[in-house]
Amino acid sequence: MTDQKLRPEEANRRNKLKEEKPLVYEKIMKFDEKIRRGESIAIIQFQYNYVCNFACQHCSIKRFQGKKEGRTFTIPDVKDLFRQADEMGLARVTITGGEPLVFKDFDELVAAIDPQKFYINCDTNGWLLDVKRAKHLKKIGVDRIQLSLDSLNAKEHDDFRKAPGSFERAMKAVDAALDAGLGIFIQTVVTKQRLHSKEFIDFIEYFNKKGIGVFVTYAKPVGSWEGNFDVLVDKNDMNYMRELEKKHKVFTHLTPAYGLDMGCIAVKGMFSVTQYGDVLPCPYIHTSIGNVFKEPLKDIVQRGLSIKYFGEYVDTCLIAEDKDFIDQYIVKRIYGKPLPVPCSEVFTEEDKTQKPFHQHDAGK
């Protein structure tokens, strides 16, 4: 782990947080200390409900959708989950689905998380976000939206999202967030082919000129793209992406943040909680390291950190670039099985961590 000097923009955000959400600020200021103890500082990617108004080509949670038996989250369950998360010193959550802005109990969900104790992001495709809604989100404690947009070409975006008119509404949603003073960045899916296109550079520059950062999600061979290996990046592609980060306001989950270079952030920097209570190492590795309805979150996270791929420093995105990991663990042990697959069926004793991430200096 190596400390990085905070960028001016990041320092400004931290100062703003100190004023607006002091309890969150206090937790974030302890991140470095927690990392050095080998503890998680994860963003909780909360898949509260899989209901969605789109059916996107690349949907990663397609096999989680549909009526299933078993317990699902209630508002009291949400309160308990985030009580535990707060006690663990976790400070950030991304509300996702599905499409969060179709949730009928969205306001109750935000209140149950507790905006005073968590920095709240919300994923959205933008279809239901106008100025009135954006102002309301800010008022109830949502800090930032993460708006999904996948091309500056309206037809390409609409075809990709299988939703005619979605580009126009997403662009209006961008302006609505800016007008309301609601934090925003653009999330965009990048295949190997798109990464090297002029369209992608134009896309970044367009939003950067509006003062908006672009978060890049590398294509993954899961969900609707299960078995689609042609879209995956390699290490050279990722190095190219790092060069773009030096020139533009663009980043990936591998980009150092909070002064820390964590490499792959699965479990240590992010984990997902499904509508059914299962905890996934990341949104795209569909194995359950435990269920919050059955055992404490702290124990589940510790189990995740005991697996070498998540408890040690990894300098790549396993599920987007590491072909051996994808073949051995995803294709052979997860494909074709009901999701999520228990981690005991995916990882063995040989996969236990030998060198916890806090002992590794990524700068050497």
Side-chain angles (χ1 to χ4, degrees), residues 12-150:
N12 289 336
R13 282 203 307 267
R14 187 172 288 189
N15 290 334
K16 184 180 178 183
L17 192 64
K18 185 177 182 180
E19 292 178 10
E20 297 179 355
K21 293 193 172 185
L23 296 178
V24 177
Y25 173 81
E26 286 175 16
K27 287 190 282 188
I28 287 176
M29 290 304 290
K30 295 177 181 176
F31 276 2
D32 184 70
E33 178 186 328
K34 286 175 67 62
I35 285 291
R36 293 182 191 283
R37 290 200 301 261
E39 298 176 12
S40 174
I41 59 169
I43 300 167
I44 300 176
Q45 200 247 13
F46 190 26
Q47 301 170 1
Y48 175 67
N49 192 312
Y50 292 122
V51 62
C52 192
N53 55 344
F54 280 15
C56 304
Q57 282 187 23
H58 67 309
C59 180
S60 64
I61 51 92
K62 182 179 179 181
R63 285 180 57 202
F64 286 87
Q65 292 176 312
K67 188 172 179 59
K68 294 184 180 181
E69 293 183 3
R71 181 175 172 182
T72 61
F73 268 97
T74 63
I75 292 301
D77 292 328
V78 174
K79 288 181 180 178
D80 185 63
L81 171 64
F82 285 91
R83 174 193 58 77
Q84 294 182 63
D86 179 51
E87 290 173 357
M88 291 170 64
L90 303 182
R92 300 164 295 163
V93 57
T94 296
I95 300 171
T96 188
E99 166 55 40
L101 296 190
V102 305
F103 299 168
K104 294 179 180 178
D105 57 353
F106 184 87
D107 287 18
E108 291 82 1
L109 172 62
V110 171
I113 292 169
D114 193 345
Q116 294 305 308
K117 294 179 180 176
F118 290 90
Y119 186 91
I120 300 178
N121 293 292
C122 179
D123 282 340
T124 183
N125 55 39
W127 188 268
L128 297 172
L129 188 66
D130 56 17
V131 175
K132 182 179 178 181
R133 189 76 185 272
K135 288 181 177 177
H136 178 72
L137 294 183
K138 185 177 181 182
K139 182 180 179 181
I140 64 173
V142 173
D143 295 284
R144 183 172 61 193
I145 61 162
Q146 304 177 174
L147 192 141
S148 296
L149 198 65
D150 293 301

Side-chain angles (χ1 to χ4, degrees), residues 50-261:
Y50 292 122
V51 62
C52 192
N53 55 344
F54 280 15
C56 304
Q57 282 187 23
H58 67 309
C59 180
S60 64
I61 51 92
K62 182 179 179 181
R63 285 180 57 202
F64 286 87
Q65 292 176 312
K67 188 172 179 59
K68 294 184 180 181
E69 293 183 3
R71 181 175 172 182
T72 61
F73 268 97
T74 63
I75 292 301
D77 292 328
V78 174
K79 288 181 180 178
D80 185 63
L81 171 64
F82 285 91
R83 174 193 58 77
Q84 294 182 63
D86 179 51
E87 290 173 357
M88 291 170 64
L90 303 182
R92 300 164 295 163
V93 57
T94 296
I95 300 171
T96 188
E99 166 55 40
L101 296 190
V102 305
F103 299 168
K104 294 179 180 178
D105 57 353
F106 184 87
D107 287 18
E108 291 82 1
L109 172 62
V110 171
I113 292 169
D114 193 345
Q116 294 305 308
K117 294 179 180 176
F118 290 90
Y119 186 91
I120 300 178
N121 293 292
C122 179
D123 282 340
T124 183
N125 55 39
W127 188 268
L128 297 172
L129 188 66
D130 56 17
V131 175
K132 182 179 178 181
R133 189 76 185 272
K135 288 181 177 177
H136 178 72
L137 294 183
K138 185 177 181 182
K139 182 180 179 181
I140 64 173
V142 173
D143 295 284
R144 183 172 61 193
I145 61 162
Q146 304 177 174
L147 192 141
S148 296
L149 198 65
D150 293 301
S151 176
L152 284 181
N153 181 298
K155 186 178 186 306
E156 286 182 4
H157 174 83
D158 290 1
D159 289 349
F160 191 69
R161 295 279 163 175
K162 299 182 183 178
S166 59
F167 176 82
E168 182 180 358
R169 291 181 76 143
M171 295 300 278
K172 287 181 178 178
V174 171
D175 291 334
L178 293 174
D179 289 347
L182 179 64
I184 178 175
F185 65 74
I186 301 298
Q187 289 191 138
T188 195
V189 175
V190 173
T191 61
K192 182 182 184 72
Q193 296 76 18
R194 186 184 181 213
L195 178 63
H196 297 279
S197 70
K198 181 178 182 299
E199 178 275 328
F200 180 54
I201 301 299
D202 291 344
F203 184 95
I204 296 169
E205 291 179 343
Y206 176 84
F207 288 107
N208 282 183
K209 285 175 182 176
K210 283 180 168 282
I212 300 172
V214 175
F215 178 78
V216 168
T217 297
Y218 292 124
K220 318 287 197 311
V222 299
S224 297
W225 271 359
E226 195 170 287
N228 187 358
F229 306 117
D230 294 337
V231 296
L232 304 186
V233 296
D234 58 27
K235 279 192 163 58
N236 288 332
D237 298 324
M238 295 174 82
N239 287 333
Y240 171 72
M241 183 69 225
R242 291 187 182 99
E243 290 302 309
L244 292 182
E245 291 181 46
K246 297 175 183 177
K247 305 172 187 175
H248 306 282
K249 190 178 177 182
V250 61
F251 46 98
T252 74
H253 66 281
L254 294 170
T255 306
Y258 295 99
L260 298 166
D261 175 3

